[in-house]
Amino acid sequence: MTEGPTGSTVPRRQLGRNLRDLRNRARLTVRAAATKLEWSEAKMWRIETGQTPLRSLDVQAMCSVYGAPSDLTEALMGLAKETKARGWWHAYGDVIPEGFDVYVGLEEAAESLSLYESDLVHGLLQTDGYAREIIRTHIRGIDDADLDGRTRLRIERQSLLTRATDPLVLHAVLGEAVLRRPVGGRGVMMQQLAHLVYVSELPNVSIRVAPFAAGMHLGVVTGPFAVLRFPLTGDGVATEPPTVYADGYTGGLYLDKEREVQQYDAAFNDIWEASLDEPASRRLIAEVAGSYEKG
């Protein structure tokens, strides 16, 4: 059971993960931190594994002990307020500072990711030029420094696919419109599609294209989404329950009920089967890239 009276486990898990990382950076054991906070080690374990909601004042106390900077303390206190939500379609802007991204934290902790994108290349697959155009369009009037920082973060995320130890396993389906929607001009699109071909050849990455000719499939109904799965413990138990993420204009929808995940798993399987296989998808991507080159 992943959701009860205290709400979705997603914000609790994210909060626990950040607090654990802060404790480790402060070089404190669970016992030492518990002693400083005058808590039990069991309480510390429940917090760090996302088993319990947490008051923002408790988060403030932990951040003080760990020497966390004020902006991160503020962000984690805001996240603590979300741990009591009953399920959440969230727009974090009102409680959590800009730039604190819950999804990025989940993505970093995930073992595998299955995603469907209907109109735009997913962030894990974007080139610098493509990412800049998306961010510039989404945030009108953004200054150069902020644009550079956001683009850099997006590109740095992609190291998950090529890290030496346990790279993220990615299964991605892109709607044909993703390939044919000109973002940033012909040169940007040529580079972007060439990058998709390159990434699709990584052993841990599978990319398929859902062509217009496939007609109606469940992705037309669901819209874009991602299903994240997390590593197993030595006992074969998932370290965290699978989570579905669907991006929205003002926030994201996080789902972790077993029934909800099963529905999205079934939807992804339907989209995957309706798509071209990997070699045919690679050929189509290359063909569309050639059309941009010809102009």
Side-chain angles (χ1 to χ4, degrees), residues 115-119 173-178 209-211 214-226 246 263-275:
L115 64 88
Y116 169 65
E117 288 286 347
S118 58
D119 294 289
V173 178
L174 307 177
E176 186 174 346
V178 173
V209 175
M216 189 68 182
H217 54 76
L218 279 176
V220 179
V221 179
T222 64
F225 67 89
Q263 285 182 294
Y264 275 91
D265 279 341
F268 183 79
N269 289 336
D270 180 80
I271 301 166
W272 186 259
E273 292 302 320
S275 302

Side-chain angles (χ1 to χ4, degrees), residues 241-254:
T243 301
V244 175
Y245 174 76
D247 196 14
Y249 182 55
T250 59
L253 175 66
Y254 293 82

